[in-house]
Amino acid sequence: MDFRLSYSPQQEIRAIELPGSKSVTNRALIINALSQRPARIEGIAHCDDTIAITDALKQCDCARIDIGAAGTAMRFLTAYFAAMPGVSLTLTGTQRMLCRPIKPLVDSLMQMDADITYLGEDGFPPLSIEGKRLKGGNISIRGDISSQFISALMMIGPTLKGGLNIQLLGEVVSRSYIDMTCEIMRHYGIEVKSDENLIAIPEQSYSAPDVFKVEADWSSASYFYELVALTDMQNIKLTGLFSPQHSVQGDSVLAHLFNHFGVQTSFNDDCAVISSGKRNEISDEVLCLNLSTTPDIVPTMVVTACLKGRHFHFCGIHNLRVKESDRIAALTAEMRHLGYVLHSDFDSIGWKGERCTSESSPIISTYSDHRMAMAFAPAATIFPGLCIADVGVVNKSFPKFWTEMKKMGIISEEV
């Protein structure tokens, strides 16, 4: 299904209900499953990714588990099932999932004596997994590929014979997600030490709290920050967000980053309140940022910067090429429909002000990627009649996205 979007400014906007953090929920689900006495999880994210993990954890005795397009589920469950004695199954997913590399994680698990076999091309799903008690010790893994590989290993670390020491090689991308995993493990009573390139986890047992509360999702908040940046909206309440000082999510840096686009943030009563500043208060300087720790907000930052007329260069983002889509290539292609000529290489994307003729009725392809759909939706404030293709992709992380956007005046019509 495709939507044609229009913008109708609202006189009064109700509070925006954000989903629970998908990243926090996914980690809590795996850790809960590893705990002898699981916690009650409140504020859980209800989306395709978390449903994939929840369903898979209930199907340990099944011969085949299909996690669809859920990349986090593929990585976390590979490690989880490999460390579960008695499990014997095939783990597979969509065609795109079968093209996403998993070799670094599997290689690390094999060092722990895991029994995993590639059923297709080496280095990629589907996987045949025979679960067993794994041995721990010292392993090394590159830090510049996917933090999800590292988090997957960390979460099973306490269950391994002798615990686990992980040496991170080279530059570490998405560090904030590794830090998030550390903090959630600590909430579950695990001693974990993490410095720049070494993570040490002794053998121990998870001790779950009675209740684990999932905070609202900062990545999802980014699209409402974008919408406020592109309009004159004031005092928009985003419920359930923890302040950067109290959040485990690296994307909480949004509260600072969107100052570059004239958006101010305050916090009260468990919500963020965001307002647009004067629209002409945008610097002429090129906005140069290393976004290696916050890859999920790159699409939002790119679209916002272009539509605000802010020249930029965002680097440290090479891992965006192996997300649900090649997001660097996708952003470069789709911004051209709106008249913006972006420049990119393996690790960066930027805009120097170069324009081309925008299409009269632009259609944004989403490449089966939820973040592409959501990042471009606020552009309807400037491009009335903008079409977003395959709008159901938002179910991966934010099923009620279009409902919440309607509160902000983004009206969708099926075409």
Side-chain angles (χ1 to χ4, degrees):
M1 181 182 7
D2 301 346
F3 278 169
R4 178 176 289 111
L5 305 181
S6 59
Y7 175 56
S8 177
Q10 303 297 293
Q11 294 298 316
E12 184 175 349
I13 299 174
R14 293 173 292 163
I16 300 302
E17 301 291 334
L18 296 172
S21 168
K22 176 172 68 76
S23 299
V24 173
T25 298
N26 287 339
R27 286 160 174 79
L29 288 171
I30 295 296
I31 292 172
N32 234 27
L34 291 166
S35 302
Q36 291 184 347
R37 184 183 61 82
R40 184 175 81 254
I41 304 177
E42 294 184 350
I44 192 170
H46 295 286
C47 58
D48 287 353
D49 269 21
T50 57
I51 291 170
I53 290 183
T54 301
D55 288 348
L57 292 172
K58 295 176 180 177
Q59 301 174 49
C60 290
D61 56 349
C62 292
R64 183 177 185 273
I65 294 178
D66 188 335
I67 52 79
T72 307
M74 174 61 72
R75 282 116 184 215
F76 288 3
L77 290 170
T78 294
Y80 174 80
F81 287 136
M84 287 292 104
V87 164
S88 179
L89 54 78
T90 294
L91 191 60
T92 189
T94 62
Q95 191 57 46
R96 170 64 181 172
M97 183 59 58
L98 305 188
C99 297
R100 297 180 70 177
I102 200 166
K103 180 177 171 57
L105 174 59
V106 172
D107 284 351
S108 295
L109 291 167
M110 297 287 273
Q111 291 180 51
M112 303 173 192
D113 203 27
D115 189 348
I116 302 175
T117 304
Y118 296 114
L119 297 179
E121 183 180 353
D122 278 1
F124 299 86
L127 306 173
S128 173
I129 301 174
E130 301 292 331
K132 61 198 297 188
R133 177 82 191 279
L134 302 182
K135 64 181 182 181
N138 302 316
I139 64 167
S140 298
I141 186 170
R142 285 172 53 192
D144 63 348
I145 36 177
S146 172
S147 65
Q148 291 178 5
F149 295 161
I150 299 163
S151 289
L153 296 169
M154 290 172 62
M155 288 187 288
I156 65 168
T159 72
L160 306 180
K161 300 174 185 177
L164 184 64
N165 296 316
I166 305 173
Q167 182 73 41
L168 306 179
L169 305 177
E171 178 189 4
V172 180
V173 299
S174 303
R175 166 70 72 174
S176 62
Y177 289 95
I178 297 172
D179 294 340
M180 176 192 293
T181 305
C182 286
E183 287 305 311
I184 297 173
M185 290 174 68
R186 289 173 182 139
H187 273 292
Y188 278 75
I190 294 301
E191 176 190 348
V192 51
K193 296 180 180 178
S194 175
D195 60 24
E196 185 174 355
N197 288 98
L198 180 64
I199 301 168
I201 306 169
E203 180 181 351
Q204 56 202 295
S205 297
Y206 281 105
S207 177
D210 291 334
V211 178
F212 180 84
K213 183 174 177 59
V214 176
E215 56 185 287
D217 186 42
W218 269 101
S219 304
S220 296
S222 71
Y223 314 112
F224 300 93
Y225 268 82
E226 177 185 350
L227 191 48
V228 167
L230 299 177
T231 63
D232 293 317
M233 292 184 189
Q234 302 292 315
N235 300 318
I236 304 302
K237 293 183 179 180
L238 306 178
T239 62
L241 287 178
F242 292 8
S243 69
Q245 292 82 1
H246 299 99
S247 175
V248 299
Q249 299 175 70
D251 284 352
S252 63
V253 74
L254 273 171
H256 166 69
L257 290 178
F258 265 75
N259 287 337
H260 293 296
F261 305 125
V263 179
Q264 288 84 46
T265 307
S266 61
F267 294 90
N268 59 61
D269 298 328
D270 290 329
C271 71
V273 181
I274 59 177
S275 298
S276 174
K278 294 181 180 179
R279 300 187 71 181
N280 60 358
E281 290 183 352
I282 300 297
S283 172
D284 291 331
E285 293 182 3
V286 176
L287 181 59
C288 295
L289 297 171
N290 184 321
L291 297 178
S292 62
T293 62
T294 54
D296 285 344
I297 63 173
V298 171
T300 317
M301 294 287 290
V302 166
V303 179
T304 304
C306 286
L307 299 188
K308 294 289 287 185
R310 183 72 187 269
H311 300 183
F312 66 91
H313 182 261
F314 301 151
C315 65
I317 59 173
H318 61 269
N319 59 332
L320 290 187
R321 294 199 177 275
V322 291
K323 295 289 187 178
E324 286 80 353
S325 67
D326 178 340
R327 287 180 183 160
I328 295 177
L331 286 165
T332 303
E334 300 312 305
M335 285 307 304
R336 184 173 281 272
H337 296 313
L338 304 185
Y340 297 86
V341 180
L342 274 56
H343 301 275
S344 62
D345 57 28
F346 177 68
D347 189 54
S348 69
I349 192 167
W351 181 56
K352 302 175 182 178
E354 187 176 351
R355 298 295 302 270
C356 61
T357 303
S358 61
E359 297 176 3
S360 57
S361 299
I363 301 174
I364 301 300
S365 297
T366 52
Y367 306 83
S368 299
D369 190 335
H370 57 136
R371 302 212 182 277
M372 288 293 293
M374 294 188 284
F376 276 90
T381 59
I382 296 174
F383 295 89
L386 177 75
C387 284
I388 305 290
D390 193 17
V391 295
V393 295
V394 302
N395 292 333
K396 181 176 175 63
S397 61
F398 195 167
K400 294 183 179 180
F401 175 77
W402 299 111
T403 300
E404 298 304 310
M405 273 282 147
K406 186 176 181 180
K407 293 180 183 178
M408 301 280 280
I410 299 294
I411 311 301
S412 53
E413 174 190 7
E414 185 177 345
V415 294

